[in-house]
Amino acid sequence: MNLVFRKPMEGVERPQMPADVVVVGGGPAGMACALRLSQLIDAHNAAHPESQLSKENIYVLEKAREVGQHCLSGALLDPRSMRELLPGFEKEAPLDAQVTKEAVYFLTEKSKFKLPITPPPLRDHGNYVISLNRFVKWMGSKVEETGITIFTGFAGSELLYDGDRVTGVRTDDKGVDKEGRQKSNFEPGYDLNAKVVILAEGPRGSLTKQLVSKFDLAKDANPQTYGVGIKELWEVPSGRIAAGEVIYTLGWPLTTKEYGGAWIYGGKDNVVSLGFVTGLDYPDPRLDPQRVLQEFKKHPLVAKLLDGGKMIRYGAKSMPYGRLVGDSSGRGRWMDDSRRFRRLLELSAAQRHSPRHQERYACG
């Protein structure tokens, strides 16, 4: 099965561009990959002045019009990997607040039960509340400082092969109507012929799906499962939540037949990130993850926090559970939110089979 999000035009002469390395996806994983590659090249050049390597033909492809535009997450940053990648990054990176307070609640429709201890996977002391959009923009600037080129506005359309060997990436055609016909402003996509192609597309990337299908990479593996996180940013009155305060919830408004959980992160300037992740294996076709978030906001714990505030931004992102980099692999761990919510959803899934859990729901 050929999984191409929009099939490139046939019989079109395409510009050819040689490349050493092409990283598809300008999110945190793709940018970290480019930065580390640059560091390895610098180390090689310092040790071997007689055989210098160039960064001139290393490219990062990002489909958004600007770096960071498509990046959406909670988000909390576990700084360990960044300290290895860029020691002292805290001095210049856009960090909102360091986590100083945390709690986990089990919710019923009208009540809440605070867990006496915070489960280890949900402990965030020492992590940072960040805007992933701003953080990835900053990472993009660090990548460009190394001499690596970032192409924005270019999506990978399909992989190029020589037999069973990946030889490059074809970018999407511009100026094509909904029927797949050329418009007056048609521009063919580029063929980037690369020695190495790295996929960092995020969950359900179109090139990743092609690669998995062609080489049967999912053979003998558990089926990939997903959740969807609906997020809102709010400005709330001063004193409602401290910068660096983190809250997770389980339970309501989901029933015992679904699993999921919520987050509330206190950022700087009285900005709150909140959202709800719903596992997408729910059996009821009427369940709407967006409505789940709106019901969650009616809970006394959340309604009190948001009263008198205003929503300033919103969005949604799929989350996979279960070389491909970051969420493309289905095991993204660079930004800690994916790992954390896998644990949160696992706790929720375990709870839904508990008789005491069902009793609490009955009590409201």
Side-chain angles (χ1 to χ4, degrees):
M1 183 178 179
N2 191 19
L3 298 169
V4 181
F5 80 99
R6 186 173 69 189
K7 190 171 178 62
M9 305 276 299
E10 296 182 357
V12 174
E13 185 175 350
R14 301 181 180 280
Q16 305 292 308
M17 181 180 294
D20 292 325
V21 180
V22 173
V23 180
V24 183
M31 293 302 182
C33 176
L35 282 170
R36 183 57 183 150
L37 180 59
S38 173
Q39 293 171 350
L40 292 173
I41 292 174
D42 290 341
H44 170 87
N45 291 344
H48 304 279
E50 75 286 354
S51 59
Q52 296 287 289
L53 298 177
S54 172
K55 305 174 189 176
E56 183 178 353
N57 291 332
I58 299 176
Y59 306 116
V60 177
L61 298 184
E62 169 52 44
K63 63 186 176 184
R65 292 184 179 179
E66 62 181 55
V67 173
Q69 193 174 54
H70 286 183
C71 291
L72 179 74
S73 186
L76 289 182
L77 171 67
D78 184 330
R80 290 174 294 179
S81 57
M82 282 302 301
R83 286 171 182 157
E84 294 179 11
L85 184 65
L86 295 173
F89 82 99
E90 292 99 332
K91 297 177 182 178
E92 56 178 309
L95 307 174
D96 278 9
Q98 190 170 32
V99 176
T100 57
K101 183 179 180 181
E102 55 200 357
V104 181
Y105 291 93
F106 182 87
L107 302 184
T108 65
E109 184 174 1
K110 301 296 184 183
S111 303
K112 66 181 185 294
F113 301 87
K114 184 178 179 180
L115 272 63
I117 62 171
T118 299
L122 302 181
R123 293 174 186 170
D124 293 302
H125 268 64
N127 294 342
Y128 290 97
V129 179
I130 66 169
S131 162
L132 189 58
N133 174 284
R134 294 199 303 269
F135 195 84
V136 172
K137 284 183 180 178
W138 172 77
M139 291 189 71
S141 69
K142 303 300 286 186
V143 169
E144 290 179 323
E145 288 175 8
T146 69
I148 292 176
T149 301
I150 301 174
F151 288 122
T152 57
F154 288 87
S157 178
E158 63 180 356
L159 293 169
L160 305 177
Y161 298 96
D162 180 7
D164 285 341
R165 178 173 172 268
V166 177
T167 59
V169 177
R170 177 168 292 167
T171 65
D172 59 327
D173 297 327
K174 309 294 185 182
V176 179
D177 65 20
K178 63 181 181 180
E179 303 297 333
R181 297 187 294 261
Q182 296 183 19
K183 298 195 294 185
S184 59
N185 62 342
F186 174 77
E187 293 181 11
Y190 284 78
D191 282 355
L192 291 109
N193 302 295
K195 299 172 185 175
V196 177
V197 175
I198 300 172
L199 302 183
E201 301 179 280
R204 298 291 289 171
S206 56
L207 300 187
T208 302
K209 289 190 290 185
Q210 293 176 38
L211 195 70
V212 170
S213 176
K214 181 176 178 64
F215 296 107
D216 199 17
L217 300 181
K219 183 180 179 181
D220 300 325
N222 290 330
Q224 182 70 70
T225 60
Y226 294 89
V228 62
I230 313 293
K231 171 188 175 177
E232 294 180 356
L233 282 181
W234 280 70
E235 286 183 355
V236 299
S238 178
R240 294 288 175 82
I241 187 171
E245 183 173 352
V246 170
I247 297 172
Y248 296 114
T249 76
L250 303 165
W252 190 88
L254 297 180
T255 72
T256 57
K257 296 181 180 179
E258 302 95 29
Y259 70 97
W263 78 85
I264 301 173
Y265 301 153
K268 64 180 181 180
D269 302 325
N270 299 312
V271 173
V272 174
S273 166
L274 65 88
F276 206 103
V277 178
T278 303
L280 293 181
D281 65 345
Y282 50 81
D284 187 348
R286 299 168 298 176
L287 189 145
D288 177 7
Q290 170 64 25
R291 185 174 179 274
V292 169
L293 173 62
Q294 302 312 313
E295 291 297 313
F296 169 72
K297 287 157 55 180
K298 297 177 183 178
H299 191 278
L301 174 69
V302 186
K304 183 179 179 180
L305 170 67
L306 301 181
D307 185 35
K310 64 176 181 179
M311 185 178 67
I312 54 178
R313 295 185 70 179
Y314 63 92
K317 181 185 184 296
S318 59
M319 301 176 67
Y321 306 116
R323 144 117 295 197
L324 306 180
V325 179
D327 282 349
S328 274
S329 66
R331 292 190 288 270
R333 290 190 59 165
W334 191 84
M335 298 301 287
D336 224 23
D337 276 356
S338 293
R339 176 176 62 87
R340 182 173 292 103
F341 274 99
R342 279 198 293 275
R343 301 297 184 268
L344 185 62
L345 299 185
E346 286 166 5
L347 286 171
S348 174
Q351 285 283 345
R352 67 179 171 178
H353 298 296
S354 164
R356 187 176 182 184
H357 169 73
Q358 298 177 23
E359 179 183 339
R360 281 182 172 178
Y361 267 107
C363 294

